[in-house]
Structure formats: C-alpha cells, structure tokens
Amino acid sequence: MAAVILEARGLTRHFGGLKAVDRVDFDLAAGEIHALIGPNGAGKTTFVSLLSGRIEAGAGRILFEGRDITRLPAHARVRRGIAYTFQITQIYAALSVYDNVALAAQSHGSHPLKPAAMEALDRVGLTDRAGQIAGTLSYGHQRLLEVAMGLALKPRLLILDEPTQGLSQGEIEVFNGIVQSVVPAATVLLIEHNMDVVMELAQRITVLNFGEVLATGTPAEIRANPAVQAAYLGA
C-alpha cells in the first residue's frame, strides 16, 4: 500500500445528542481515489468538514503528511495542500469564470496567474467560457468551475463533495476524466451518491453509517459486504 497522506484517529463531532461523527479512524493513501459513501445523514459532509477545517473536532486528531493539523483553521489547511469543493456550489457569481479561478490561483501563490487559471479551466473544458459571468453558467458548468477552482490551488489532497449532483451524463463523463487525470500527482477523496461514478473511479471505498465506519475496502469487497448491502446498497 502507498504511503498514508492523511490519517484520522478517534475523530468525533457531536451536535447535542446527535453523533454526527463518532470515533472514526480513517487512512487515505497517497495518490489514490478514495470514495466516501453512506446513507443520507450518515455523517459524510460533517466528516470531510472536519478534515478540511470548516468545523472543529470535538475529539480525536488529524495528521496530514505526518503533521498534526487538528486545530489548524481551514485557510491554513488550504496552504498545506488540502482543497475542498463544496456540496452546494460556492462560486463568486458576479465575477467572470476566469476571475473565479484566478482568485483561487492567487490564494495558492501561483505566478503568473493567467497561465495557472487557464490551465485549470482547460482541464474542466471551460476555456471558451472564461469571460462569461459565473452566475450565468448552467448548474453543471458551475460545478465544473468549482472543480477548476480546486485544481487551481494545486492541491495534494482534493476533496470533492457530491461533485456530480446536477450534472448531465456527458458532464459526468468529463468529470470522471478530470478526476482520473488528477492522480497520482494528487490524492482524491470523493463523497458521492452516484454509485456508477464511485465504482468507476475509486480504488478504495469507506462506508459511513450513523457517524461510524461500517466498512472499508475495494469496490468488489464493498459490493459483497452484507452489512453494506443492508445499510446502503440494497441486497
């Protein structure tokens, strides 16, 4: 197995009596595409929000490239190489497509900005829309723009939260190609409900249920797991 780029131990976050994430142990191998799946309310978005620093852990610790980042704020984790694209599209609607990506490239410290921004747009197929106001893009193109913004950060870990939601089949095929092009230079953690996408892209899958890890394994192992079938995939 490849070196571990990120590990969580005992990661916990409760909201009142709700155990959103409860004592989760998790390893992410460098250069892999790792999918995180589970029923609605399983704790997936809370878990990746803990990894990215958007919310604080109640207990446990997170190591990234061997360094403890448990208490680092989100912007500091971005500087370390963790990019997180959100479940709900987060773009600057009044700015051009190019400016959205250029701002991401600037925050990474890329110079000159234009080649870095245009490279990211080219990778998601939005070069011809660089001058368009981002808020006028279709929903699917806005999702691809968000991925371009993540790529412009030159991440070592790219976390994608429900990236294919609202995409057409053609856009999903483009997205799959983008993700496959990112590795092994970067590592991808994919939170996704579309099981066709998961099974095509992921080398390993972790299943969350009620805030706990139900199973981790290859796609074949996850498909064959009776507990996963009962909780999520169906018999």
Side-chain angles (χ1 to χ4, degrees):
M1 181 176 168
V4 173
I5 189 171
L6 180 142
E7 59 182 289
R9 292 293 178 268
L11 201 58
T12 299
R13 179 62 193 250
H14 297 172
F15 298 99
L18 174 65
K19 297 180 178 180
V21 174
D22 195 36
R23 296 170 296 173
V24 167
D25 292 340
F26 178 77
D27 290 325
L28 193 57
E32 74 171 339
I33 302 172
H34 193 125
L36 186 67
I37 67 171
N40 288 330
K44 302 183 298 294
T45 293
T46 299
F47 179 66
V48 295
S49 293
L50 291 169
L51 297 183
S52 65
R54 299 193 73 223
I55 60 176
E56 292 184 6
R61 66 175 189 154
I62 306 162
L63 298 180
F64 181 63
E65 296 184 323
R67 296 181 178 179
D68 193 325
I69 63 167
T70 312
R71 301 303 168 197
L72 281 185
H75 66 86
R77 299 189 199 193
V78 170
R79 287 284 185 183
R80 292 281 179 93
I82 299 175
Y84 176 26
T85 69
F86 304 101
Q87 187 175 23
I88 300 170
T89 305
Q90 300 281 321
I91 61 171
Y92 301 102
L95 298 181
S96 72
V97 168
Y98 168 80
D99 285 342
N100 270 265
V101 181
L103 281 171
Q106 183 178 44
S107 71
H108 173 260
S110 294
H111 294 288
L113 285 180
K114 188 169 184 178
M118 294 307 293
E119 177 191 355
L121 287 174
D122 183 60
R123 290 179 73 177
V124 303
L126 290 179
T127 306
D128 60 345
R129 298 179 184 270
Q132 187 172 339
I133 298 301
T136 67
L137 292 172
S138 69
Y139 182 77
H141 283 142
Q142 288 184 21
R143 297 311 301 260
L144 292 174
L145 172 57
E146 193 187 26
V147 173
M149 293 166 70
L151 293 174
L153 293 168
K154 303 292 185 184
R156 289 190 292 284
L157 170 58
L158 179 61
I159 302 174
L160 300 167
D161 195 352
E162 301 289 356
T164 69
Q165 185 178 22
L167 299 189
S168 68
Q169 186 56 43
E171 289 168 337
I172 288 174
E173 290 170 7
V174 170
F175 169 79
N176 287 351
I178 293 165
V179 173
Q180 289 165 335
S181 76
V182 168
V183 295
T187 303
V188 175
L189 178 58
L190 176 68
I191 299 85
E192 184 55 67
H193 278 297
N194 186 323
M195 291 307 297
D196 289 338
V197 171
V198 168
M199 293 299 174
E200 178 173 342
L201 292 179
Q203 282 97 46
R204 287 198 302 150
I205 300 170
T206 293
V207 185
L208 284 185
N209 196 33
F210 297 113
E212 299 179 350
V213 173
L214 182 63
T216 294
T218 65
E221 289 168 343
I222 294 301
R223 276 191 190 279
N225 187 303
V228 175
Q229 291 175 2
Y232 185 57
L233 295 179

